[in-house]
Short mmCIF file of all heavy atoms in Angstrom, two decimals:
data_model
loop_
_atom_site.label_atom_id
_atom_site.label_comp_id
_atom_site.label_asym_id
_atom_site.label_seq_id
_atom_site.Cartn_x
_atom_site.Cartn_y
_atom_site.Cartn_z
N PRO A 1 61.32 86.80 99.88
CA PRO A 1 61.62 87.45 98.60
C PRO A 1 62.63 88.59 98.72
O PRO A 1 63.28 88.94 97.76
CB PRO A 1 60.26 87.95 98.12
CG PRO A 1 59.44 88.05 99.35
CD PRO A 1 59.93 86.97 100.27
N ASP A 2 62.74 89.18 99.90
CA ASP A 2 63.68 90.28 100.10
C ASP A 2 64.94 89.81 100.80
O ASP A 2 65.60 90.57 101.49
CB ASP A 2 63.02 91.39 100.92
CG ASP A 2 61.75 91.89 100.28
OD1 ASP A 2 61.68 91.91 99.04
OD2 ASP A 2 60.81 92.24 101.01
N ALA A 3 65.26 88.55 100.66
CA ALA A 3 66.35 87.94 101.42
C ALA A 3 67.70 88.50 101.02
O ALA A 3 67.95 88.84 99.87
CB ALA A 3 66.35 86.43 101.20
N TYR A 4 68.56 88.58 102.01
CA TYR A 4 69.96 88.88 101.79
C TYR A 4 70.55 87.67 101.10
O TYR A 4 70.62 86.59 101.67
CB TYR A 4 70.62 89.16 103.15
CG TYR A 4 72.10 89.43 103.08
CD1 TYR A 4 72.58 90.58 102.46
CD2 TYR A 4 73.01 88.56 103.64
CE1 TYR A 4 73.93 90.84 102.42
CE2 TYR A 4 74.36 88.81 103.60
CZ TYR A 4 74.82 89.95 102.99
OH TYR A 4 76.16 90.21 102.94
N ALA A 5 70.95 87.82 99.83
CA ALA A 5 71.32 86.68 98.99
C ALA A 5 72.73 86.17 99.24
O ALA A 5 73.03 85.01 98.97
CB ALA A 5 71.17 87.07 97.52
N THR A 6 73.61 87.01 99.75
CA THR A 6 74.98 86.60 99.99
C THR A 6 75.02 85.73 101.24
O THR A 6 74.26 85.96 102.17
CB THR A 6 75.85 87.86 100.19
OG1 THR A 6 75.73 88.68 99.03
CG2 THR A 6 77.32 87.51 100.38
N PRO A 7 75.92 84.74 101.30
CA PRO A 7 76.03 83.97 102.54
C PRO A 7 76.27 84.89 103.74
O PRO A 7 76.94 85.92 103.61
CB PRO A 7 77.24 83.07 102.29
CG PRO A 7 77.33 82.96 100.82
CD PRO A 7 76.83 84.28 100.28
N ARG A 8 75.72 84.52 104.89
CA ARG A 8 75.86 85.36 106.10
C ARG A 8 77.32 85.56 106.47
O ARG A 8 77.69 86.59 107.01
CB ARG A 8 75.10 84.74 107.25
CG ARG A 8 73.60 84.81 107.08
CD ARG A 8 72.88 84.21 108.26
NE ARG A 8 72.99 85.02 109.44
CZ ARG A 8 72.09 85.91 109.84
NH1 ARG A 8 71.01 86.10 109.12
NH2 ARG A 8 72.27 86.61 110.93
N VAL A 9 78.16 84.58 106.23
CA VAL A 9 79.60 84.68 106.49
C VAL A 9 80.29 84.31 105.19
O VAL A 9 80.11 83.22 104.66
CB VAL A 9 80.03 83.70 107.62
CG1 VAL A 9 81.53 83.78 107.82
CG2 VAL A 9 79.27 83.99 108.89
N GLN A 10 81.07 85.27 104.67
CA GLN A 10 81.73 85.03 103.39
C GLN A 10 83.17 85.51 103.45
O GLN A 10 83.43 86.69 103.68
CB GLN A 10 80.99 85.74 102.26
CG GLN A 10 81.62 85.50 100.92
CD GLN A 10 80.80 86.07 99.78
OE1 GLN A 10 79.60 86.23 99.90
NE2 GLN A 10 81.44 86.38 98.69
N SER A 11 84.11 84.60 103.25
CA SER A 11 85.52 84.96 103.17
C SER A 11 85.82 85.43 101.75
O SER A 11 85.26 84.91 100.79
CB SER A 11 86.40 83.76 103.49
OG SER A 11 86.20 83.36 104.82
N VAL A 12 86.72 86.40 101.65
CA VAL A 12 87.22 86.84 100.35
C VAL A 12 88.73 86.91 100.44
O VAL A 12 89.29 87.08 101.52
CB VAL A 12 86.61 88.20 99.91
CG1 VAL A 12 85.14 88.08 99.66
CG2 VAL A 12 86.88 89.28 100.92
N SER A 13 89.41 86.77 99.32
CA SER A 13 90.87 86.77 99.30
C SER A 13 91.37 87.99 98.54
O SER A 13 91.89 87.88 97.43
CB SER A 13 91.39 85.49 98.66
OG SER A 13 91.03 84.38 99.42
N LEU A 14 91.18 89.15 99.14
CA LEU A 14 91.64 90.39 98.52
C LEU A 14 92.77 90.96 99.39
O LEU A 14 92.91 90.58 100.55
CB LEU A 14 90.48 91.37 98.40
CG LEU A 14 89.31 90.89 97.53
CD1 LEU A 14 88.16 91.89 97.57
CD2 LEU A 14 89.75 90.66 96.10
N PRO A 15 93.56 91.87 98.85
CA PRO A 15 94.69 92.39 99.63
C PRO A 15 94.30 93.02 100.98
O PRO A 15 94.96 92.78 101.98
CB PRO A 15 95.29 93.45 98.70
CG PRO A 15 94.92 93.00 97.33
CD PRO A 15 93.56 92.38 97.47
N SER A 16 93.24 93.80 101.03
CA SER A 16 92.86 94.48 102.27
C SER A 16 91.58 93.97 102.89
O SER A 16 91.39 94.05 104.09
CB SER A 16 92.71 95.99 102.02
OG SER A 16 93.95 96.54 101.64
N LEU A 17 90.67 93.44 102.11
CA LEU A 17 89.40 92.93 102.61
C LEU A 17 89.46 91.40 102.64
O LEU A 17 89.73 90.76 101.62
CB LEU A 17 88.25 93.39 101.71
CG LEU A 17 86.85 92.96 102.11
CD1 LEU A 17 86.45 93.57 103.46
CD2 LEU A 17 85.84 93.36 101.04
N LYS A 18 89.22 90.84 103.82
CA LYS A 18 89.35 89.39 103.99
C LYS A 18 88.02 88.67 104.14
O LYS A 18 87.95 87.46 104.00
CB LYS A 18 90.23 89.08 105.22
CG LYS A 18 91.62 89.67 105.10
CD LYS A 18 92.32 89.19 103.86
CE LYS A 18 93.69 89.80 103.69
NZ LYS A 18 94.30 89.44 102.43
N GLY A 19 86.95 89.42 104.45
CA GLY A 19 85.65 88.78 104.57
C GLY A 19 84.58 89.76 105.01
O GLY A 19 84.87 90.87 105.44
N VAL A 20 83.32 89.32 104.88
CA VAL A 20 82.18 90.11 105.31
C VAL A 20 81.18 89.17 105.97
O VAL A 20 81.02 88.02 105.56
CB VAL A 20 81.54 90.89 104.12
CG1 VAL A 20 81.03 89.94 103.06
CG2 VAL A 20 80.44 91.80 104.60
N GLU A 21 80.55 89.67 107.03
CA GLU A 21 79.59 88.87 107.78
C GLU A 21 78.37 89.71 108.13
O GLU A 21 78.51 90.83 108.62
CB GLU A 21 80.25 88.35 109.06
CG GLU A 21 79.34 87.53 109.93
CD GLU A 21 80.05 87.00 111.18
OE1 GLU A 21 81.28 86.85 111.16
OE2 GLU A 21 79.34 86.75 112.16
N LEU A 22 77.20 89.16 107.88
CA LEU A 22 75.95 89.76 108.37
C LEU A 22 75.89 89.37 109.84
O LEU A 22 75.59 88.23 110.18
CB LEU A 22 74.74 89.24 107.60
CG LEU A 22 73.37 89.62 108.13
CD1 LEU A 22 73.20 91.13 108.21
CD2 LEU A 22 72.28 89.02 107.26
N ALA A 23 76.23 90.31 110.73
CA ALA A 23 76.40 89.99 112.14
C ALA A 23 75.09 90.04 112.92
O ALA A 23 74.81 89.15 113.71
CB ALA A 23 77.41 90.95 112.76
N ALA A 24 74.29 91.08 112.72
CA ALA A 24 73.08 91.23 113.53
C ALA A 24 72.09 92.12 112.81
O ALA A 24 72.45 92.95 111.98
CB ALA A 24 73.44 91.84 114.88
N GLY A 25 70.84 91.97 113.17
CA GLY A 25 69.78 92.82 112.66
C GLY A 25 68.70 92.96 113.71
O GLY A 25 68.28 91.96 114.31
N TYR A 26 68.26 94.20 113.96
CA TYR A 26 67.26 94.42 115.00
C TYR A 26 66.56 95.74 114.75
O TYR A 26 67.20 96.79 114.66
CB TYR A 26 67.92 94.41 116.38
CG TYR A 26 66.96 94.53 117.52
CD1 TYR A 26 66.12 93.47 117.86
CD2 TYR A 26 66.87 95.69 118.26
CE1 TYR A 26 65.23 93.56 118.92
CE2 TYR A 26 65.99 95.80 119.32
CZ TYR A 26 65.17 94.73 119.65
OH TYR A 26 64.28 94.83 120.68
N GLU A 27 65.24 95.71 114.61
CA GLU A 27 64.38 96.90 114.51
C GLU A 27 64.91 97.96 113.54
O GLU A 27 65.11 99.11 113.91
CB GLU A 27 64.16 97.50 115.90
CG GLU A 27 63.35 96.60 116.80
CD GLU A 27 63.02 97.24 118.14
OE1 GLU A 27 63.51 98.35 118.43
OE2 GLU A 27 62.26 96.62 118.89
N GLY A 28 65.12 97.57 112.30
CA GLY A 28 65.52 98.52 111.28
C GLY A 28 66.99 98.86 111.26
O GLY A 28 67.41 99.77 110.55
N ASN A 29 67.81 98.15 112.03
CA ASN A 29 69.26 98.34 112.03
C ASN A 29 69.92 97.01 111.71
O ASN A 29 69.52 95.97 112.23
CB ASN A 29 69.75 98.83 113.39
CG ASN A 29 69.15 100.16 113.75
OD1 ASN A 29 69.19 101.10 112.99
ND2 ASN A 29 68.55 100.23 114.93
N VAL A 30 70.94 97.05 110.88
CA VAL A 30 71.68 95.85 110.51
C VAL A 30 73.15 96.13 110.73
O VAL A 30 73.64 97.22 110.42
CB VAL A 30 71.42 95.49 109.02
CG1 VAL A 30 72.23 94.28 108.61
CG2 VAL A 30 69.95 95.23 108.78
N THR A 31 73.88 95.15 111.27
CA THR A 31 75.31 95.28 111.50
C THR A 31 76.05 94.27 110.63
O THR A 31 75.72 93.09 110.63
CB THR A 31 75.68 95.05 112.97
OG1 THR A 31 74.97 96.00 113.77
CG2 THR A 31 77.17 95.20 113.21
N PHE A 32 77.03 94.77 109.89
CA PHE A 32 77.91 93.94 109.09
C PHE A 32 79.31 94.05 109.67
O PHE A 32 79.73 95.14 110.07
CB PHE A 32 77.94 94.38 107.63
CG PHE A 32 76.69 94.07 106.88
CD1 PHE A 32 75.68 95.00 106.77
CD2 PHE A 32 76.53 92.83 106.27
CE1 PHE A 32 74.52 94.71 106.08
CE2 PHE A 32 75.37 92.53 105.58
CZ PHE A 32 74.36 93.47 105.48
N GLY A 33 80.02 92.94 109.71
CA GLY A 33 81.40 92.94 110.12
C GLY A 33 82.29 92.71 108.92
O GLY A 33 82.02 91.83 108.10
N LEU A 34 83.35 93.51 108.80
CA LEU A 34 84.31 93.35 107.73
C LEU A 34 85.64 92.95 108.35
O LEU A 34 86.11 93.62 109.29
CB LEU A 34 84.50 94.66 106.96
CG LEU A 34 83.46 95.05 105.93
CD1 LEU A 34 82.10 95.26 106.55
CD2 LEU A 34 83.89 96.28 105.19
N ALA A 35 86.22 91.86 107.88
CA ALA A 35 87.55 91.45 108.31
C ALA A 35 88.56 92.11 107.39
O ALA A 35 88.41 92.06 106.16
CB ALA A 35 87.68 89.94 108.26
N LEU A 36 89.56 92.74 107.98
CA LEU A 36 90.55 93.48 107.21
C LEU A 36 91.92 92.84 107.37
O LEU A 36 92.20 92.15 108.34
CB LEU A 36 90.60 94.93 107.67
CG LEU A 36 89.26 95.68 107.67
CD1 LEU A 36 89.44 97.08 108.23
CD2 LEU A 36 88.66 95.72 106.29
N GLY A 37 92.79 93.14 106.42
CA GLY A 37 94.17 92.69 106.46
C GLY A 37 95.03 93.72 107.18
O GLY A 37 94.64 94.27 108.21
N ASP A 38 96.19 94.01 106.59
CA ASP A 38 97.15 94.93 107.21
C ASP A 38 96.68 96.38 107.23
O ASP A 38 97.06 97.14 108.10
CB ASP A 38 98.49 94.85 106.48
CG ASP A 38 99.19 93.53 106.72
OD1 ASP A 38 99.05 92.99 107.83
OD2 ASP A 38 99.85 93.04 105.78
N HIS A 39 95.88 96.77 106.27
CA HIS A 39 95.50 98.17 106.15
C HIS A 39 94.06 98.38 106.56
O HIS A 39 93.19 97.56 106.27
CB HIS A 39 95.71 98.66 104.70
CG HIS A 39 97.12 98.46 104.24
ND1 HIS A 39 98.14 99.28 104.63
CD2 HIS A 39 97.67 97.51 103.45
CE1 HIS A 39 99.27 98.86 104.08
NE2 HIS A 39 99.01 97.77 103.36
N SER A 40 93.81 99.47 107.23
CA SER A 40 92.45 99.70 107.69
C SER A 40 91.94 101.10 107.37
O SER A 40 91.01 101.57 107.99
CB SER A 40 92.35 99.43 109.19
OG SER A 40 93.23 100.26 109.89
N GLN A 41 92.55 101.76 106.42
CA GLN A 41 92.04 103.06 105.98
C GLN A 41 90.90 102.80 105.00
O GLN A 41 91.03 101.97 104.09
CB GLN A 41 93.15 103.85 105.32
CG GLN A 41 92.84 105.31 105.16
CD GLN A 41 94.06 106.08 104.66
OE1 GLN A 41 94.90 105.53 103.96
NE2 GLN A 41 94.13 107.32 105.04
#
């Protein structure tokens, strides 16, 4: 019931953000990876 509803790996087609991934989860910590384009500020 408390599931992360977004796909674990999701591509997006935005100018600076290219995708998001639920990378890892362990003992109350979760890591997400964001794929970026040319800009990283």
Side-chain angles (χ1 to χ4, degrees):
D2 303 326
Y4 177 67
T6 303
R8 291 181 70 96
V9 178
Q10 181 173 334
S11 296
V12 294
S13 296
L14 299 175
S16 297
L17 181 64
K18 301 303 178 186
V20 62
E21 178 178 335
L22 172 57
Y26 185 72
E27 293 185 354
N29 299 308
V30 177
T31 301
F32 288 93
L34 281 63
L36 306 177
D38 291 326
H39 303 283
S40 59
Q41 195 172 30

